Amino acid sequence: MFKKLFFLVVVVTNVAFSQSELPLIPMPNSIQMEKGFFVLSKETVIQADEKSFEAQYLKAQIKEITGWDLPILPVTKANSKIALSFVVGSLVSTDSKQYHLDISTKKASIQAESDAGFFYGIQTFLQLIPSNSKTQIRVPCLKIDDAPKYAWRGMHLDCARHFFPKEFVKKYIDYLAMYKFNTFHWHLTDDQGWRIEIKKYPKLTEIGAWRNGSMVGHYNEQKYDSIRYGGFYTQDDIKEIVAYATQRHITIVPEIEMPGHAVAALAAYPEYSCTGGPFEVAKQWGVLDDVFCPKEETFTFLQDILTEVIALFPSQYLHIGGDECPKTRWKTCLHCQALIKEKGLKDEHELQSYFVQRIEKFVNSKGRKIIGWDEILEGGLAPNAAVMSWRGTSGGVAAAKQKHFVVMTPGSHCYFDHYQGDPKNEPLAIGGYTTVDKVYSFNPTPTELTPEESQYILGAQANLWTEYIEDYAKVEYMIFPRMIAMSEVLWGTSNPDQFKNFQARMLQQFATLDQKGIHYSKAIFEVTSKTMPAPQGNGVVLTLKSATNSNGIRYTVDGTSPIWSSNSYTNPIEITKDQCIKAAYFEKEVQKSAVMEQKFFWSKSVGKKITLVHQPHENYSTGGAFALIDGIMGDRSKFGRDWLGFLGKDLNATIDLGTATTVHQVAISVLSNEGSWIYYPNTIEILVSNDGKEFKSIKQLSSSEIKAVNGLVKINFEAQSAQFVKVIATNLGKIPTGMPGAGSNAWLFVDEIGVE
Ligand code: ACM
Ligand code: ZN
């Protein structure tokens, strides 16, 4: 038996290869380099049971890379062989996912206790074969001991907002398999489409799978086409996909959304709503008010659906959604209000909890468990439910402390529908800014949990919502290379302090992606910039970086495009006025990256000290308070970076100008994007002080007095001397009825405060 090692042990004993050059992702737990090479050629034999799927898979993959059709033989005397063999011993456990890869000059041996172990060993071996190999291949001799840390290594795909055909879903599963993911969370129903055939309720797909148009551009633009759009998976399709995933040791967790995100189902069966409809399958993204009404008939309907779903999916967990369920209809529905009284519930949150508990009881009666988004904590968690924590990690922490299983998927690190590079260079996305290094820095187990509580963290997953992802090429682009980073996080061998090491291995994966024709983002090659306060409190400095080689950066300060003979970047660039910096990465005279452009808007507050009373939400906090006085205006249509988002909280910022300064204006840049529940402030107040303690209020604006021009609210007042300027912009608070997000906390987005 070999021991399970959850830490990285690297013993380099050989000059030919070092561990850091191996193109392995996720990095195995332990690698020991040895002398020499194993030669893989068309004479190599796969020694294994011919009936083994794993052996057939290995054979097919080698054929795809090299063109060689290697035989599979149970016994062989071949001079070069790849042998799959079960570990013999008293502790054999088919649950074990560990494997041992031992490559010597004549034999590459994969030992495991289960088929899943072989499968992971095979993925590791395949990564050691250069993707352009067509002749003899030299694979370095080594020994690897390996096993995953987390039991839930997930990727999600929303097939409701956009429909992806069966063939692509299989490809998606292949991508998961390549990087040792084991869970595919399949989002099958939502307001914009019902995608799973249910025999008992044929209208779910006859009506619910089709919409008469979709949004065009970003939600903000409120534009639609009128093209009929849709599609669904037949039960035969689903059986085929489930079998395909099962062979690859991937569990499919289907998501059937309830009680919210149900408009497609209600378009087909309006009788299960509060109002009776009629409804049409939603063309609009976002959160809609019409949801399932918790009537007996609705429970029968949902239980019938779940019965068919359970028969199709062997997964232990069923995802029942539970997120973003407005209580608007329930508040005015006679049935819902009577039910609240009858059951002695406190409010509509407890009604949602009642709904989820009813469904849980049913699912448990079928021998399965439910998992739901973290809103299922509200009003009381169902007794056996697992929680998927998406609104940060706090829901997951709360659930783990209540001894419920948790899958972490916070928006900050796990939402792959966010931008992954400078929004200017990226295709349209919902918003956010989640770079590959941010993903790599994710720790699924929050440090505030005790070791005991930590055991409830099953793992994590990345989510791909597809409002802005129309086709498979864009799906690939959004997941790669970020899922490569997530793979290592979930395997348990990521080390954010050694991102460069990961990056070098990730860049080697690009050759494999190229060979397979997989689309991926090259944002990693971009020149990235970081703005920091200048050392003497005089303005800011801009630092430039290229992930590959910062020596190749050329830049201009006059708005022209950089060329090879422009300034060569060596030191941070000082910004002390309105300015536009442009930069690009060159190798010799050839420009390798898009031009990065950074505009600065000068004011007296740029680079000064700033403090906040309330912190922004973790999803929208890049740069911290400094983002408000860095001279940079965030992108309004592709907002993500450079914005601070306050959820239900006020902006309360104090800027220290360093010395008494004459001031007469404060300009605040704010965002309105109602579809994303982002609203202008309710009131704004400006205060000044000379000691930072006693503040004098010099201007108050009520909501009707807040006039934003292109999002900029300029507030003029009598010129006066002050060292400290305080800005209080109050959050709208609970979103009023009739507005998008009604009843929930509003977001307040601010990206800059300029003092003149
Ligand atoms: C979610 O992103 N609404 C779970
Ligand atoms: Zn109702």
Side-chain angles (χ1 to χ4, degrees):
M1 284 301 295
F2 49 94
K3 286 219 185 74
K4 205 167 199 168
L5 299 172
F6 282 149
F7 45 90
L8 205 67
V9 182
V10 179
V11 188
V12 181
T13 58
N14 168 291
V15 287
F17 265 94
S18 74
Q19 163 268 327
S20 61
E21 287 168 350
L22 296 176
L24 293 179
I25 290 184
M27 177 61 93
N29 296 168
S30 144
I31 303 177
Q32 188 174 332
M33 301 304 299
E34 311 249 297
K35 275 200 167 57
F37 297 92
F38 169 75
V39 177
L40 176 69
S41 74
K42 56 179 185 299
E43 314 304 329
T44 302
V45 172
I46 299 171
Q47 184 179 317
D49 176 355
E50 206 196 348
K51 291 193 292 296
S52 145
F53 170 78
E54 282 65 32
Q56 294 291 347
Y57 179 91
L58 174 63
K59 175 187 166 92
Q61 295 296 315
I62 290 177
K63 187 164 181 195
E64 190 186 315
I65 300 169
T66 65
W68 306 328
D69 198 3
L70 306 186
I72 304 175
L73 299 171
V75 187
T76 173
K77 290 213 168 76
N79 248 338
S80 163
K81 62 184 170 189
I82 308 165
L84 306 186
S85 57
F86 282 103
V87 174
V88 282
S90 55
L91 289 173
V92 170
S93 139
T94 50
D95 252 6
S96 163
K97 305 292 183 275
Q98 59 188 318
Y99 70 90
H100 178 71
L101 173 64
D102 186 344
I103 302 179
S104 58
T105 52
K106 296 209 167 151
K107 181 176 172 187
S109 155
I110 302 172
Q111 283 188 294
E113 296 173 47
S114 68
D115 290 335
F118 287 130
F119 195 72
Y120 299 142
I122 286 167
Q123 297 301 345
T124 302
F125 181 75
L126 290 171
Q127 287 187 344
L128 293 168
I129 305 177
S131 56
N132 53 1
S133 299
K134 288 286 180 273
T135 55
Q136 272 199 347
I137 296 164
R138 301 206 310 172
V139 183
C141 291
L142 49 71
K143 285 189 167 71
I144 286 176
D145 277 328
D146 204 12
K149 174 173 179 181
Y150 290 105
W152 186 300
R153 304 186 301 283
M155 285 291 297
H156 151 290
L157 181 64
D158 168 11
C159 291
R161 273 53 178 265
H162 282 100
F163 176 73
F164 301 97
K166 178 176 75 179
E167 290 67 33
F168 180 69
V169 176
K170 287 187 180 173
K171 265 195 182 185
Y172 195 79
I173 289 167
D174 285 338
Y175 303 155
L176 269 62
M178 278 166 69
Y179 294 103
K180 301 188 177 95
F181 287 82
N182 71 346
T183 306
F184 171 40
H185 173 170
W186 199 3
H187 187 75
L188 285 165
T189 74
D190 216 300
D191 300 307
Q192 298 79 10
W194 182 280
R195 306 278 176 235
I196 171 173
E197 179 191 26
I198 300 295
K199 304 265 192 205
K200 190 157 184 181
Y201 300 102
K203 285 192 286 183
L204 280 172
T205 44
E206 284 165 16
I207 294 173
W210 306 93
R211 61 179 183 251
N212 288 322
S214 308
M215 294 197 99
V216 179
H218 199 274
Y219 182 98
N220 286 348
E221 298 168 44
Q222 288 291 315
K223 287 199 194 116
Y224 297 86
D225 65 28
S226 53
I227 303 166
R228 188 165 159 83
Y229 181 91
F232 65 93
Y233 307 98
T234 65
Q235 294 205 349
D236 283 342
D237 290 339
I238 288 177
K239 284 177 196 154
E240 189 181 322
I241 291 168
V242 168
Y244 190 85
T246 305
Q247 284 180 321
R248 285 155 184 76
H249 305 283
I250 290 167
T251 301
I252 303 186
V253 176
E255 181 179 355
I256 307 295
E257 273 266 16
M258 61 188 80
H261 286 292
V263 168
L266 294 177
Y269 295 96
E271 57 269 40
Y272 305 124
S273 69
C274 290
T275 65
F279 308 104
E280 63 167 9
V281 179
K283 299 179 197 169
Q284 183 184 39
W285 316 135
V287 175
L288 304 180
D289 282 340
D290 288 294
V291 303
F292 286 122
C293 177
K295 302 183 249 210
E296 281 312 304
E297 309 88 272
T298 308
F299 287 113
T300 306
F301 171 69
L302 291 172
Q303 288 173 8
D304 289 344
I305 290 170
L306 290 173
T307 301
E308 292 191 33
V309 170
I310 285 168
L312 290 167
F313 293 94
S315 164
Q316 182 190 11
Y317 283 105
L318 295 192
H319 203 301
I320 52 87
D323 59 319
E324 298 178 323
C325 179
K327 310 296 185 289
T328 316
R329 294 291 178 260
W330 291 358
K331 280 190 176 144
T332 55
C333 169
L334 293 178
H335 169 79
C336 289
Q337 291 306 312
L339 188 62
I340 287 175
K341 278 216 181 71
E342 178 197 326
K343 301 287 174 196
L345 305 173
K346 200 171 85 209
D347 56 13
E348 290 75 20
H349 290 291
E350 289 201 354
L351 184 57
Q352 158 137 348
S353 172
Y354 167 82
F355 194 117
V356 172
Q357 297 204 25
R358 282 270 312 242
I359 293 294
E360 178 183 68
K361 215 178 251 174
F362 175 77
V363 170
N364 287 169
S365 78
K366 299 277 179 185
R368 307 291 183 91
K369 299 179 189 162
I370 64 160
I371 183 164
W373 301 110
D374 56 58
E375 284 94 331
I376 68 168
L377 279 151
E378 294 165 8
L381 202 46
N384 306 307
V387 170
M388 197 168 260
S389 189
W390 72 282
R391 297 176 303 173
T393 53
S394 55
V397 168
K401 286 183 185 293
Q402 295 174 40
K403 301 191 191 308
H404 283 254
F405 286 106
V406 171
V407 175
M408 287 295 189
T409 177
S412 54
H413 296 76
C414 301
Y415 269 43
F416 287 3
D417 56 341
H418 289 181
Y419 288 106
Q420 56 190 315
D422 185 337
K424 282 199 276 294
N425 303 329
E426 292 292 312
L428 182 67
I430 192 165
Y433 184 62
T434 303
T435 57
V436 71
D437 50 322
K438 180 122 193 225
V439 175
Y440 194 67
S441 72
F442 182 53
N443 177 6
T445 305
T447 48
E448 65 254 53
L449 293 180
T450 66
E452 221 266 305
E453 291 160 350
S454 298
Q455 292 179 14
Y456 289 94
I457 307 295
L458 291 175
Q461 80 179 23
N463 294 339
L464 196 69
W465 302 101
T466 59
E467 288 93 334
Y468 300 95
I469 303 174
E470 311 70 20
D471 59 31
Y472 81 89
K474 197 163 169 189
V475 169
E476 292 176 350
Y477 184 92
M478 298 305 279
I479 61 174
F480 285 114
R482 289 184 285 194
M483 75 174 273
I484 297 179
M486 186 58 84
S487 141
E488 194 152 298
V489 165
L490 291 169
W491 199 256
T493 50
S494 58
N495 181 350
D497 294 339
Q498 307 220 339
F499 180 75
K500 279 272 172 204
N501 174 293
F502 166 77
Q503 183 182 281
R505 288 179 287 114
M506 183 183 79
L507 292 174
Q508 295 183 77
Q509 299 299 311
F510 285 6
T512 305
L513 301 184
D514 285 334
Q515 200 220 4
K516 290 181 181 283
I518 298 172
H519 303 81
Y520 58 95
S521 169
K522 299 179 181 69
I524 190 88
F525 295 116
E526 273 177 2
V527 174
T528 55
S529 63
K530 194 167 177 190
T531 308
M532 288 179 289
Q536 261 70 51
N538 184 26
V540 292
V541 293
L542 180 72
T543 61
L544 301 177
K545 210 169 75 175
S546 159
T548 33
N549 175 7
S550 295
N551 293 333
I553 297 175
R554 299 290 182 272
Y555 74 96
T556 63
V557 295
D558 60 3
T560 59
S561 281
I563 53 174
W564 173 243
S565 58
S566 303
N567 300 313
S568 173
Y569 176 77
T570 48
N571 290 312
I573 305 161
E574 289 174 28
I575 309 291
T576 51
K577 57 182 184 204
D578 277 356
Q579 212 156 38
C580 177
I581 310 293
K582 291 188 177 179
Y585 171 65
F586 291 76
E587 277 176 8
K588 301 248 165 27
E589 312 214 341
V590 184
Q591 186 181 327
K592 288 282 188 186
S593 76
V595 174
M596 183 230 69
E597 179 184 319
Q598 187 62 69
K599 278 202 183 79
F600 287 91
F601 299 87
W602 187 253
S603 80
K604 289 174 178 166
S605 50
V606 171
K608 296 299 192 294
K609 278 203 203 97
I610 179 166
T611 51
L612 293 175
V613 173
H614 310 292
Q615 294 310 305
H617 188 275
E618 61 177 320
N619 286 12
Y620 297 98
S621 59
T622 314
F626 173 67
L628 299 176
I629 40 90
D630 61 1
I632 298 172
M633 299 285 194
D635 196 315
R636 292 187 174 274
S637 58
K638 294 176 162 183
F639 62 92
R641 274 193 340 172
D642 306 319
W643 288 93
L644 297 188
F646 298 87
L647 181 57
K649 291 186 195 158
D650 301 337
L651 166 79
N652 186 328
T654 303
I655 299 166
D656 177 356
L657 297 169
T659 171
T661 306
T662 304
V663 295
H664 66 93
Q665 183 191 70
V666 171
I668 311 173
S669 172
V670 286
L671 190 69
S672 162
N673 188 327
E674 297 185 354
S676 302
W677 307 2
I678 303 170
Y679 289 86
Y680 278 153
N682 205 26
T683 61
I684 299 177
E685 182 177 11
I686 309 296
L687 306 93
V688 294
S689 163
N690 273 315
D691 60 5
K693 292 184 191 109
E694 305 251 328
F695 280 86
K696 177 176 76 171
S697 179
I698 53 168
K699 195 92 181 183
Q700 300 97 33
L701 299 188
S702 67
S703 72
S704 60
E705 290 168 321
I706 296 175
K707 298 272 187 293
V709 178
N710 294 327
L712 201 61
V713 183
K714 285 190 179 168
I715 303 155
N716 294 304
F717 43 86
E718 202 173 309
Q720 53 198 290
S721 175
Q723 183 179 340
F724 297 89
V725 176
K726 187 194 283 286
V727 178
I728 301 174
T730 58
N731 190 296
L732 182 65
K734 287 269 184 275
I735 301 170
T737 313
M739 313 287 278
S744 295
N745 282 326
W747 286 94
L748 171 66
F749 265 57
V750 188
D751 77 327
E752 196 67 10
I753 303 173
V755 176
E756 286 293 359

